Amino acid sequence: QWLGTLRGISDRQDLHGLIEGRLTRILLDCGGLDDAGDRMSRAMSRGQPPARAAAWVEGFLAGGGLLMVHDPRLLGLVDGWLTGLSSDQFTDVLPLLRRTFGTFAAPERRAVGERLRSAGRDAGERDQTVDERRAAPAVATVLSILGTAGR
């Protein structure tokens, strides 16, 4: 009955993103949800305001980032959403993202970073030329989000 109530609340259209994300995670963790990826896709779609999507991610990832480490689909959704934001939208949601990722233990942040670094590589691992000068601002931003800047 409790899980049914949580699911009913999580399906409401007027629910704050933080609460919806947290309820989705609770239902996923207890096995009461089969469509978490679809829910995340909807919550983080281009039609949603970036602040609401960031609040949803914050609620969903509250308590640790291991889910992102072990579920490549969910990590890909978060990564795709972040890379699809305009620079102004990214700047607007950055404090929420920093707060969310800042709650993760250092090994979790490192594991998420490693997963992202290895994502999309072919089995043969293609070599690509990277302009380190152009990539430096993006690297600095990611390190800042993960809380590892200056280490």
Side-chain angles (χ1 to χ4, degrees):
Q1 190 176 18
W2 172 248
L3 294 177
T5 301
L6 289 180
R7 186 170 182 109
I9 293 170
S10 72
D11 289 337
R12 289 180 49 177
Q13 298 297 318
D14 63 342
L15 199 58
H16 189 277
L18 181 71
I19 296 169
E20 183 183 348
R22 189 64 188 139
L23 290 177
T24 301
R25 174 70 181 273
I26 290 169
L27 290 166
L28 177 66
D29 286 349
C30 71
L33 195 63
D34 297 327
D35 63 345
D38 294 337
R39 287 172 180 261
M40 181 178 251
S41 293
R42 280 192 306 272
M44 298 170 58
S45 71
R46 292 189 186 271
Q48 296 290 341
R52 185 184 192 296
W56 194 96
V57 169
E58 181 180 5
F60 186 79
L61 296 177
L66 284 179
L67 188 62
M68 284 180 39
V69 173
H70 296 293
D71 191 335
R73 180 176 178 217
L74 296 178
L75 180 61
L77 286 170
V78 173
D79 183 45
W81 170 68
L82 282 173
T83 57
L85 293 175
S86 71
S87 61
D88 288 340
Q89 290 172 326
F90 183 78
T91 302
D92 289 343
V93 300
L94 187 58
L96 286 172
L97 295 172
R98 183 165 172 74
R99 183 173 66 211
T100 300
F101 282 87
T103 63
F104 297 171
E108 289 176 337
R109 290 192 306 259
R110 202 171 13 262
V112 168
E114 288 297 322
R115 284 284 196 189
L116 288 171
R117 185 176 301 135
S118 64
R121 290 187 182 167
D122 293 335
E125 298 228 352
R126 299 179 307 220
D127 288 331
Q128 295 183 1
T129 304
V130 175
D131 184 345
E132 291 185 22
R133 182 187 54 78
R134 289 183 62 206
V139 170
T141 301
V142 170
L143 290 175
S144 175
I145 290 170
L146 296 176
T148 59
R151 290 185 188 168

